[in-house]
Amino acid sequence: MGPRSTTGLGMKEARLRRIIFQDIIHGIANPAIRRSSRCGDVNCIAGPNVIRKSLHDFLSKIIRDSIHNSESSERNTITIQDVLYALKKYGRSLYGCDY
């Protein structure tokens, strides 16, 4: 199913559909970026937009590789193992997962 047209919808539903299609990465607020940076012992932050861009790029690569792993296994569901293999490909191993 592709995206539906908004011709049969009321104004409220059309506006809601427009909001959903916006880039979701801007939903990460500045205080959340600051808290995450402080947990990683970062003293100086370049800027929220730079961090959002790098986060978007990193997550795009991981999700793309996870999808590739699940498709090569002929599955429609992405498992934890697919994500772990994608992280391992970029040298970012995740420990604590017993799968």
Side-chain angles (χ1 to χ4, degrees):
M1 284 185 146
R4 297 182 328 198
S5 67
T6 58
T7 55
L9 300 175
M11 288 302 291
K12 184 177 180 182
E13 289 85 6
R15 190 168 10 109
L16 183 63
R17 185 170 294 278
R18 217 175 306 129
I19 290 171
I20 290 172
F21 284 140
Q22 285 181 352
D23 196 9
I24 202 76
I25 200 72
H26 291 290
I28 300 174
N30 292 349
I33 293 172
R34 191 174 298 118
R35 283 192 303 269
S36 299
S37 301
R38 296 294 182 244
C39 286
D41 290 334
V42 175
N43 293 329
C44 185
I45 301 171
N49 291 332
V50 175
I51 293 173
R52 283 188 191 105
K53 175 73 174 134
S54 62
L55 180 65
H56 183 268
D57 293 342
F58 176 73
L59 289 176
S60 296
K61 289 191 306 186
I62 297 299
I63 291 170
R64 184 179 58 235
D65 288 340
S66 300
I67 292 171
H68 177 72
N69 289 339
S70 67
E71 286 177 350
S72 64
S73 300
E74 297 178 354
R75 287 183 281 113
N76 292 331
T77 305
I78 296 175
T79 61
I80 295 173
Q81 280 301 118
D82 297 329
V83 177
L84 291 177
Y85 288 146
L87 285 169
K88 189 181 284 189
K89 177 181 176 182
Y90 293 107
R92 308 259 184 186
S93 297
L94 183 66
Y95 299 107
C97 295
D98 296 332
Y99 295 100

